[in-house]
Amino acid sequence: MFDVSQLHKLVAEGVWVFRHPGVTVACRPLHFAEAAKAADIEATRFHPSTSVSAFESMISGQNSCCCGVFVNDTLVGCASANITPAADEYPSEAFIDNISLLTEYAGCGLGLLLTAYLLKFCSASPFGSARATLEVRVGNTPAKRIYARFGFTCHGIRKRYYSHPTEDAEIHWLENMQEPAFQDVLLDAVSHALEMFHVKQLQRSGDMQ
Ligand SMILES: CC(C)(COP(=O)(O)OP(=O)(O)OC[C@H]1O[C@@H](n2cnc3c(N)ncnc32)[C@H](O)[C@@H]1OP(=O)(O)O)[C@@H](O)C(=O)NCCC(=O)NCCS
């Protein structure tokens, strides 16, 4: 079982590392040299997908962040956001650009964990985002469950926004990311994600026996 007593410390730090017997899960910002790997992962889940050069721009950009989730040092998922800095009375906003997990690592909590990491990253210094927005396919149940857990709510529909296959997009917004209560939401999400991962590990080791 992951040592969840360390969660407060981990959530406060720039790199999250969770150790489990036989497997280590980590979330951290991607390095420039990892752009091609991130593009490869996204290409397995999105069409059209983000190019390597677009990932390079997000990794090196001042108003963007791009991060990954690693299982035993292998990159298995990536996520990125573009930040609109605060201006006048308007707070900083994060536009969540993409979140993708390799199919073989989907469904075991890592998408939720990576989203928690990305939102923590956007809300922390130097970005200090107070709001976040994203688009999601109306039928994308796993993604919508993740977003609902953080408090995202639907504020509109873009008709036929997606292709391959054609589908409407829901426009979601999350507010109050600078409120202290949002830190508790992040911690709960991380805890739930690690519990899901733990249960999946137990199932896998049971299947192998
Ligand atoms: C969407 C995606 C990031 C979710 O990541 P994931 O690791 O598979 O999801 P998790 O295991 O963290 O599960 C998140 C939630 O979805 C639920 N879920 C997972 N797979 C599911 C499925 N196939 N059907 C229904 N619910 C599912 C989980 O039970 C969990 O819900 P809970 O928190 O209420 O218990 C991932 O599946 C993916 O990369 N999909 C393709 C790209 C994509 O659609 N990205 C989002 C674009 S907006």
Side-chain angles (χ1 to χ4, degrees):
M1 187 67 181
F2 288 97
D3 182 2
V4 287
S5 66
Q6 287 190 32
L7 276 185
H8 276 282
K9 183 168 168 278
L10 290 165
V11 168
E13 291 174 353
V15 178
W16 296 356
V17 181
F18 305 98
R19 294 200 169 80
H20 189 281
V23 59
T24 297
V25 176
C27 294
R28 64 160 170 80
L30 291 184
H31 304 148
F32 193 81
E34 291 167 330
K37 280 187 195 160
D40 282 350
I41 291 173
E42 216 208 81
T44 67
R45 305 308 305 263
F46 280 105
H47 183 78
S49 64
T50 309
S51 66
V52 176
S53 59
F55 268 107
E56 286 174 344
S57 302
M58 286 188 291
I59 291 169
S60 56
Q62 281 197 332
N63 289 321
S64 52
C65 54
C66 192
C67 51
V69 59
F70 296 76
V71 173
N72 290 340
D73 292 331
T74 299
L75 181 65
V76 302
C78 55
S80 57
N82 285 304
I83 312 291
T84 303
D88 303 324
E89 74 271 30
Y90 297 104
S92 165
E93 288 178 4
F95 174 72
I96 311 299
D97 208 34
N98 63 55
I99 299 173
S100 1
L101 265 280
L102 285 175
T103 310
E104 55 269 41
Y105 289 90
C108 55
L110 297 180
L112 177 61
L113 183 69
L114 182 59
T115 309
Y117 184 80
L118 181 68
L119 292 173
K120 173 69 184 175
F121 207 91
C122 294
S123 67
S125 178
F127 299 129
S129 293
R131 316 173 71 206
T133 186
L134 54 83
E135 281 123 9
V136 58
R137 284 180 182 269
V138 293
N140 192 341
T141 303
K144 285 165 66 172
R145 285 179 79 102
I146 289 176
Y147 305 143
R149 185 173 285 279
F150 294 105
F152 278 95
T153 50
C154 179
H155 289 253
I157 299 283
R158 287 191 215 285
K159 296 297 283 180
R160 302 171 66 81
Y161 181 74
Y162 292 106
S163 56
H164 307 92
T166 303
E167 192 173 351
D168 294 348
E170 290 182 3
I171 305 162
H172 285 222
W173 279 95
L174 169 66
E175 308 281 347
N176 301 326
M177 290 165 68
Q178 292 302 317
E179 297 296 321
F182 186 64
Q183 299 305 313
D184 296 331
V185 172
L186 287 175
L187 283 173
D188 284 350
V190 172
S191 182
H192 182 66
L194 295 180
E195 181 62 28
M196 283 175 71
F197 191 80
H198 177 62
V199 168
K200 264 290 189 284
Q201 288 295 114
L202 289 180
Q203 284 170 354
R204 281 186 185 153
S205 55
D207 290 346
M208 285 191 293
Q209 282 168 6

